[in-house]
Amino acid sequence: MNGTSDSGSDQQRNLRCREAALEMGAEQFRQAGHLLVDQIGDFLQTLQTAPSPSESGQPSRPVHPAESVAEVKAALGSAALPQQGMAAAALLDETAHLLFDHSLFNGHPGFMAYVTSSAAPIGALGDLLASSINANVGAWALSPMATEIEKQTVDWIRQAIDCDESYGGLLVSGGTMANFVGFLAARKAQTDWDIRSQGLGKSGQSLRLYASRETHTWLQKAADLFGLGTDAIVWIDTDDQQKIDSHDLQGKIAADREAGLQPFLVIASAGTVSTGAIDPLEAIAEICRAQDLWFHVDGAYGAFAAMLPEASSDLRALSSADSIALDPHKWLYTPLEAGCVLVKDPKHLVDAFSFHPDYYLFDQDDQQENSEDQPINFYEYGLQNSRGFRALKVWLAWRQAGREGYIGMIRDDIALAQVLAKKVTQQEELQLCTQSLSITTFVYVPRQIPPALSEIEGREYLNDLNRELLEQVQATGQVYLSNAMIDGQFVLRACIVNFRTTLSEVEKLLQVVVDLGRALEKA
Ligand SMILES: *Cc1c(COP(=O)(O)O)cnc(C)c1O
């Protein structure tokens, strides 16, 4: 034990000069890194439409290889846990090909599905830099500059959507987590017993929250996971544009109060996930103020569109919410993962999340005179303890594009979705369903529907046809769409959160849908 035996000195010699299996010398790192960066550069080129008219003007790879699970598994191989390691450069080279050849690329200009954006290349470089520093942004002392960069990033997001200076928050992994943080802040702020030590208890059973069925399913997860149960959600009617009916909201809150229940939270969407509908945020904010309820806005999809000077007053009204969920990995085009939550008074986050373990001494150096110069420890503001430096890619993207750059990209995405809607109305077999923000939904309706179908059978026939059509469109690899269900109707849904999409892809999409639709109709 004391290191004086022969075998002990052997050990000492080894420990003075470790050959750690994961260490990379500077030169080795440079070589492997340069190779990888070159490969990624070539990969990006295959996603970019050739700028010169003499070239094809088409990206040189499909949106996805349309492979089966078996094919992807076979490409990976079924190697057992490696016993010995291998050289890093060869490993990275092999892995780059594995991913380039067997992935779906949301950065492809033909990708117009879900609310998943193309990724800013600077974010990839930012992630490399961030993980090289490997800051633990849980505590200021462990990540001095990274924590300050995250604070600045969150504040830029606040400024972008025009919230007061009082608002603050933090970055999280995505929209779901951002909404969770808002939900938990509301749960703590709106209950008058010590919910953090006593739990929900009997009083918790009468808590009620209000949202429409167009709300993303993070809400059911939150109601379940945070102890209220999904029965605590009171579903508010929507109008023919999928927006919350604020009269119904008012009525249901009043009825619940009458019944002795405890309304505490209203959730509205600034851009619903299915159709991009923007709830009447002004009216809902007013109801929440009058009723002393927490007003949470899910802006995971649409919040950043509030930067546009032409944004509607309802969209801009998100800046008055008690808490707001946003998703930089959507309309700020940062690579996954990056979500953000803003709270009108960040003290509510500390109230909801902070515990001070004995083994953390981070809060002792409070000598700074200016309260703005107090170190901030993000572990006290949310669910995570150790936290990665996801702020860097968001911060870099803000600096590369600037507010003006973002306004340009978001405005073009919306304009393309509007052009798509217009072209849909001009196409005999296509019927426009909805258009809001950068989401356009429509259905293929054959010129001749088989006769003798009842209304219900007719709807099922159309649903089946459009479902099959969507699969076939996706399988082409040229363009990629998703779907929505609107009042029981299966609709095709284009969502453009992609700075590489151009009018050419929108035209291609229409051509592919109509060609395949006609073929299906005949089949
Ligand atoms: C995408 C989305 C979410 C979920 O966000 P994730 O980043 O996928 O967790 C929640 N709400 C809306 C409106 C969304 O568009």
Side-chain angles (χ1 to χ4, degrees):
M1 288 298 281
N2 58 16
T4 53
S5 72
D6 283 346
S7 67
S9 64
D10 257 4
Q11 223 171 18
Q12 269 176 5
R13 200 177 63 232
N14 288 340
L15 288 175
R16 277 185 205 288
C17 176
R18 290 178 64 182
E19 287 177 17
L22 283 175
E23 185 56 289
M24 281 172 94
E27 196 46 40
Q28 199 194 357
F29 185 88
R30 277 189 202 104
Q31 277 179 11
H34 287 159
L35 260 172
L36 181 64
V37 166
D38 284 343
Q39 281 175 308
I40 295 171
D42 291 347
F43 160 71
L44 283 176
Q45 205 166 22
T46 66
L47 296 181
Q48 290 157 353
T49 311
S52 111
S54 64
E55 293 172 56
S56 72
Q58 292 288 327
S60 55
R61 68 165 71 236
V63 180
H64 67 139
E67 292 170 317
S68 66
V69 176
E71 287 168 310
V72 178
K73 273 168 79 172
L76 175 61
S78 55
L81 169 70
Q83 299 300 320
Q84 256 81 49
M86 69 180 281
L91 174 59
L92 284 167
D93 180 55
E94 182 194 308
T95 308
H97 284 107
L98 195 63
L99 287 165
F100 294 150
D101 294 345
H102 306 281
S103 295
L104 177 142
F105 302 107
N106 45 35
H108 189 288
F111 185 85
M112 296 175 243
Y114 308 105
V115 193
T116 303
S117 70
S118 47
I122 198 168
L125 296 171
D127 270 348
L128 175 62
L129 178 57
S131 45
S132 304
I133 307 299
N134 200 28
N136 186 339
V137 197
W140 193 96
L142 301 181
S143 56
M145 182 52 80
T147 294
E148 292 302 322
I149 286 178
E150 177 159 344
K151 270 168 63 185
Q152 191 167 68
T153 305
V154 170
D155 198 58
W156 287 351
I157 290 173
R158 171 192 75 73
Q159 292 174 38
I161 60 166
D162 219 11
C163 289
D164 280 359
E165 275 183 33
S166 73
Y167 283 74
L170 79 168
L171 297 187
V172 292
S173 58
T176 296
M177 293 303 284
N179 282 301
F180 281 4
V181 172
F183 187 99
L184 288 166
R187 195 187 71 150
K188 168 65 184 134
Q190 291 277 315
T191 45
D192 58 7
W193 68 96
D194 186 0
I195 194 168
R196 293 190 65 198
S197 57
Q198 296 164 15
L200 284 170
K202 209 162 159 46
S203 314
Q205 289 174 16
S206 61
L207 290 171
R208 289 294 176 274
L209 58 138
Y210 303 80
S212 87
R213 295 228 180 246
E214 296 298 314
T215 311
H216 188 279
T217 48
W218 70 263
L219 179 59
Q220 284 93 331
K221 280 193 191 171
D224 167 18
L225 291 169
F226 304 132
L228 284 78
T230 52
D231 289 349
I233 306 170
V234 179
W235 298 108
I236 305 303
D237 293 346
T238 45
D239 63 15
D240 59 0
Q241 293 177 69
Q242 295 80 43
K243 300 178 180 185
I244 282 180
D245 172 350
S246 52
H247 295 291
D248 189 50
L249 173 64
Q250 215 155 11
K252 283 181 170 146
I253 293 169
D256 283 347
R257 285 212 200 278
E258 193 80 359
L261 297 166
Q262 292 184 71
F264 79 105
L265 167 65
V266 178
I267 289 148
S269 299
T272 58
V273 64
S274 288
T275 65
I278 297 162
D279 285 326
L281 300 189
E282 289 184 301
I284 297 171
E286 193 48 52
I287 293 171
C288 290
R289 252 194 308 273
Q291 297 276 336
D292 195 21
L293 300 176
W294 186 279
F295 177 34
H296 175 79
V297 173
D298 177 3
Y301 165 41
F304 291 111
M307 281 194 278
L308 303 187
E310 62 269 31
S312 70
S313 56
D314 265 325
L315 182 52
R316 283 156 189 255
L318 97 168
S319 66
S320 68
D322 294 299
S323 53
I324 309 159
L326 310 92
D327 235 348
H329 68 209
K330 289 176 173 174
W331 241 338
L332 292 185
Y333 312 99
T334 65
L336 295 160
E337 303 166 343
C340 177
V341 58
L342 291 174
V343 177
K344 188 182 273 178
D345 182 353
K347 160 181 129 16
H348 288 301
L349 295 180
V350 177
D351 286 352
F353 293 103
S354 176
F355 282 105
H356 286 255
D358 295 340
Y359 45 86
Y360 280 3
L361 300 173
F362 299 130
D363 319 293
Q364 293 193 334
D365 39 28
D366 286 355
Q367 311 98 343
Q368 274 79 9
E369 312 236 309
N370 186 342
S371 72
E372 279 182 13
D373 288 339
Q374 296 288 341
I376 174 172
N377 297 312
F378 277 117
Y379 80 89
E380 293 193 88
Y381 287 74
L383 289 118
Q384 272 183 287
N385 187 60
S386 291
R387 301 173 72 251
F389 190 12
R390 55 170 63 92
L392 186 59
K393 60 192 167 196
V394 187
W395 186 84
L396 286 167
W398 271 120
R399 292 197 58 186
Q400 190 196 358
R403 184 201 281 260
E404 293 300 321
Y406 272 120
I407 287 176
M409 290 185 287
I410 293 173
R411 183 180 277 152
D412 286 352
D413 282 348
I414 293 174
L416 284 168
Q418 289 171 344
V419 170
L420 173 62
K422 180 139 181 280
K423 288 182 181 289
V424 161
T425 60
Q426 292 162 351
Q427 185 72 46
E428 200 188 340
E429 295 101 323
L430 299 181
Q431 234 173 51
L432 181 67
C433 300
T434 65
Q435 201 308 298
S436 184
L437 294 175
S438 68
I439 297 179
T440 297
T441 65
F442 56 100
V443 280
Y444 183 91
V445 182
R447 275 163 297 189
Q448 288 184 328
I449 298 202
L453 288 184
S454 70
E455 200 184 315
I456 293 176
E457 288 166 339
R459 167 163 278 202
E460 275 172 13
Y461 166 79
L462 278 185
N463 282 359
D464 290 347
L465 183 97
N466 280 277
R467 199 174 280 122
E468 175 65 28
L469 178 55
L470 175 64
E471 272 179 31
Q472 292 195 3
V473 170
Q474 290 179 344
T476 65
Q478 298 181 42
V479 289
Y480 202 92
L481 287 181
S482 52
N483 80 287
M485 292 300 294
I486 303 178
D487 297 331
Q489 185 172 29
F490 185 97
V491 304
L492 304 174
R493 167 176 173 279
C495 176
I496 304 176
V497 189
N498 187 344
F499 54 77
R500 293 202 183 100
T501 303
T502 69
L503 196 52
S504 310
E505 283 78 33
V506 167
E507 286 164 350
K508 180 96 213 160
L509 165 82
L510 286 160
Q511 185 202 323
V512 169
V513 168
V514 171
D515 288 353
L516 289 172
R518 285 180 182 160
L520 258 178
E521 183 184 338
K522 292 208 188 78

